[in-house]
């Protein structure tokens, strides 16, 4: 093609497409994952890090230079190759432990963490739960904050009867409570078979309160009279097993003191408090009071009754009754203690009862025997309430 003076050379689209702009063979582009291979779980630690490639002598002039891609392929293909290799550096123990447990959960970053401590006071049958603080809670309100509080439950058991909660802190994702909540009437048996469920929730004035996260601590992890501190990532809500053994259901606990007074020539019965009572009213609470009888009661004069405590499942009575009786006659007597829910305009509801006497068993018999054996000494014991009326199993 000849050009006149002053004309510029032009190339047609056909000629442009025919130009070889990429001479030589076209190599496929490697993916970045080719340089960082993943191995299936269970590989030995020796395969967890690439082995150092064997040192090669310098290239001879006759040997053509290798492509960089070939060097990389040779490096990462060394896992299956035989030949001398330097021993791999051992992995940190934490890294191996993380692999053993599987992938870590994202709940720590999305739901937050909770710091708290637990103490089982074996002598006083009390479980002290100190809720310290939470960090990085999930925002629940439109302002990007939350109004958090902490709720405790003992499982298995009725939720209302053993629910405790902290105060609510407003507009914060990093609340500090420093509150101690206490469960009374906790026995060594409870410490073996029960679990403490700790939930963090967001309080809402106009709607239902919202769940943020929870954690569960088997009480068997605690040692008596030793404080154990926890800092745990909150988890999503876990289902509660509805197929729990019905024999584990309880009507509550009662703390009773017994003392035979030589001065008053009588038996002093103290009704101190109840814990985790069954809810009998529609509002999820009860209005409990306690009645005591010393039977056989031929004159029908042994009945004593405490005051009614309104809207509570953990009432504190601290009342004491005296039965005038000779010490030698106590071996023939039985003490009946029953807990009732007071109702206006209809019959009161029976919550639970316990019988102490020479025909009782276990802790009930031991409590009665210790009272008879130790005059003028007050002996306090927690007892589990049964759902049977004592009069139905005892004859007057």
């Amino acid at each position: 093609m000849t050009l006149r003076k002053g004309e510029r050379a032009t190339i047609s689209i056909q000629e442009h497409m025919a130009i070889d702009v990429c001479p030589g063979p076209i190599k496929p582009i490697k993916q970045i994952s080719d340089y960082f291979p993943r191995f299936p779980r269970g590989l030995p630690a020796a395969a967890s890090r690439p082995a150092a490639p064997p040192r090669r002598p310098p290239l001879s002039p006759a040997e053509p230079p290798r492509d960089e891609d070939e060097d990389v392929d040779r490096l990462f293909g060394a896992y299956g190759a035989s030949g001398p290799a330097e021993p791999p550096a051992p992995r940190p123990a934490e890294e191996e432990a993380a692999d053993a447990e599987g992938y870590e959960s994202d709940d720590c970053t999305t739901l937050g963490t909770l710091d708290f401590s637990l103490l089982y006071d074996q002598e006083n049958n009390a479980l002290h739960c100190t809720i310290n603080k939470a960090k990085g809670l999930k925002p629940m309100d439109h302002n990007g904050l939350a109004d958090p509080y902490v709720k405790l439950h003992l499982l298995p058991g009725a939720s209302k009867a053993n629910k405790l909660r902290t105060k609510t802190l407003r507009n914060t994702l990093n609340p500090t409570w420093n509150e101690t909540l206490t469960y009374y009437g906790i026995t060594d048996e409870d410490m073996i078979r029960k679990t403490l469920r700790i939930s963090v929730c967001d309080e809402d004035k106009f709607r239902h309160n919202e769940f943020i996260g929870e954690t569960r601590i088997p009480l068997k992890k605690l040692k008596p009279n030793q404080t154990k501190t926890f800092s745990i990532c909150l988890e999503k809500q876990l289902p509660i097993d509805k197929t729990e053994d019905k024999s584990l259901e309880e009507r509550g606990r009662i703390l009773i003191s017994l003392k035979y007074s030589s001065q008053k020539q009588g038996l002093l019965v103290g009704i101190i408090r109840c814990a985790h009572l069954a809810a009998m009213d529609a509002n999820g609470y009860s209005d409990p009071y306690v009645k005591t009888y010393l039977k056989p009661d031929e004159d029908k004069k042994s009945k004593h009754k405490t005051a009614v405590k309104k809207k509570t499942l953990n009432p504190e009575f601290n009342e004491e009754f005296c039965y005038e009786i000779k010490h030698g006659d106590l071996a023939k007597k039985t003490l009946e203690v029953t807990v009732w829910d007071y109702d206006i305009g209809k019959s009161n509801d029976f919550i639970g009862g316990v019988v102490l006497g020479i025909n009782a068993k276990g802790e009930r018999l031991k409590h009665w025997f210790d009272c008879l054996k130790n005059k003028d000494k007050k002996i306090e014991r927690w007892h589990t309430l049964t759902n049977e009326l004592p009069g139905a199993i005892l004859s007057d």
Side-chain angles (χ1 to χ4, degrees), residues 91-166:
R91 275 200 306 178
E94 311 87 53
E95 187 176 344
E96 292 182 3
D99 279 352
E101 295 176 1
Y103 293 108
E104 291 186 1
S105 170
D106 292 334
D107 291 345
C108 281
T109 55
T110 59
L111 302 179
T113 61
L114 182 66
D115 294 352
F116 60 96
S117 63
L118 302 176
L119 169 63
Y120 173 46
D121 183 352
Q122 191 176 33
E123 182 180 355
N124 296 308
N125 296 103
L127 176 65
H128 303 288
C129 313
T130 301
I131 308 299
N132 297 319
K133 62 182 179 179
K135 293 182 289 187
L137 294 180
K138 179 182 177 181
M140 304 299 291
D141 298 336
H142 295 301
N143 59 3
L145 299 173
D147 301 321
Y149 66 93
V150 177
K151 194 168 54 171
L152 306 181
H153 289 102
L154 278 177
L155 304 175
S159 61
K160 277 279 188 181
N162 58 44
K163 183 181 80 171
L164 300 176
R165 61 162 286 176
T166 67

Side-chain angles (χ1 to χ4, degrees), residues 77-282:
Y79 294 110
S82 61
E86 297 179 5
R91 275 200 306 178
E94 311 87 53
E95 187 176 344
E96 292 182 3
D99 279 352
E101 295 176 1
Y103 293 108
E104 291 186 1
S105 170
D106 292 334
D107 291 345
C108 281
T109 55
T110 59
L111 302 179
T113 61
L114 182 66
D115 294 352
F116 60 96
S117 63
L118 302 176
L119 169 63
Y120 173 46
D121 183 352
Q122 191 176 33
E123 182 180 355
N124 296 308
N125 296 103
L127 176 65
H128 303 288
C129 313
T130 301
I131 308 299
N132 297 319
K133 62 182 179 179
K135 293 182 289 187
L137 294 180
K138 179 182 177 181
M140 304 299 291
D141 298 336
H142 295 301
N143 59 3
L145 299 173
D147 301 321
Y149 66 93
V150 177
K151 194 168 54 171
L152 306 181
H153 289 102
L154 278 177
L155 304 175
S159 61
K160 277 279 188 181
N162 58 44
K163 183 181 80 171
L164 300 176
R165 61 162 286 176
T166 67
K167 61 187 176 185
T168 301
L169 299 181
R170 302 290 177 185
N171 296 323
T172 178
L173 300 179
N174 301 284
T176 299
W177 290 281
N178 289 328
E179 271 190 66
T180 298
L181 308 174
T182 300
Y183 282 105
Y184 295 99
I186 301 297
T187 63
D188 291 342
E189 182 186 356
D190 292 328
M191 297 301 294
I192 295 174
R193 67 180 181 88
K194 284 188 177 286
T195 296
L196 179 65
R197 178 190 183 197
I198 305 177
S199 309
V200 181
C201 301
D202 171 61
E203 185 176 290
D204 199 315
K205 293 182 178 180
F206 306 105
R207 297 181 298 173
H208 288 297
N209 296 341
E210 296 179 288
F211 175 85
I212 298 178
E214 72 169 43
T215 187
R216 298 187 186 184
I217 306 296
L219 296 185
K220 61 185 177 183
K221 288 186 175 183
L222 304 181
K223 295 181 179 179
N225 306 314
Q226 294 184 20
T227 301
K228 189 176 178 71
T229 302
F230 298 85
S231 182
I232 294 183
C233 294
L234 296 174
E235 301 177 82
K236 296 174 183 176
Q237 192 161 16
L238 302 172
I240 296 178
D241 187 8
K242 299 296 185 182
T243 61
E244 292 170 351
D245 186 359
K246 296 302 180 182
S247 65
L248 296 180
E249 289 185 351
E250 297 174 355
R251 308 293 288 181
R253 308 280 176 85
I254 185 168
L255 180 58
I256 301 172
S257 69
L258 297 179
K259 174 185 173 182
Y260 185 81
S261 173
S262 300
Q263 181 182 1
K264 295 184 178 181
Q265 289 291 302
L267 176 67
L268 302 180
V269 179
I271 304 299
I272 301 172
R273 67 189 308 155
C274 294
H276 324 323
L277 294 180
M280 307 302 290
D281 295 338

Side-chain angles (χ1 to χ4, degrees), residues 336-354:
E336 290 184 8
V337 181
T338 54
V339 183
W340 299 79
D341 169 54
Y342 177 75
D343 287 319
I344 300 176
K346 58 180 181 177
S347 60
N348 299 329
D349 298 317
F350 174 71
I351 297 178
V354 64

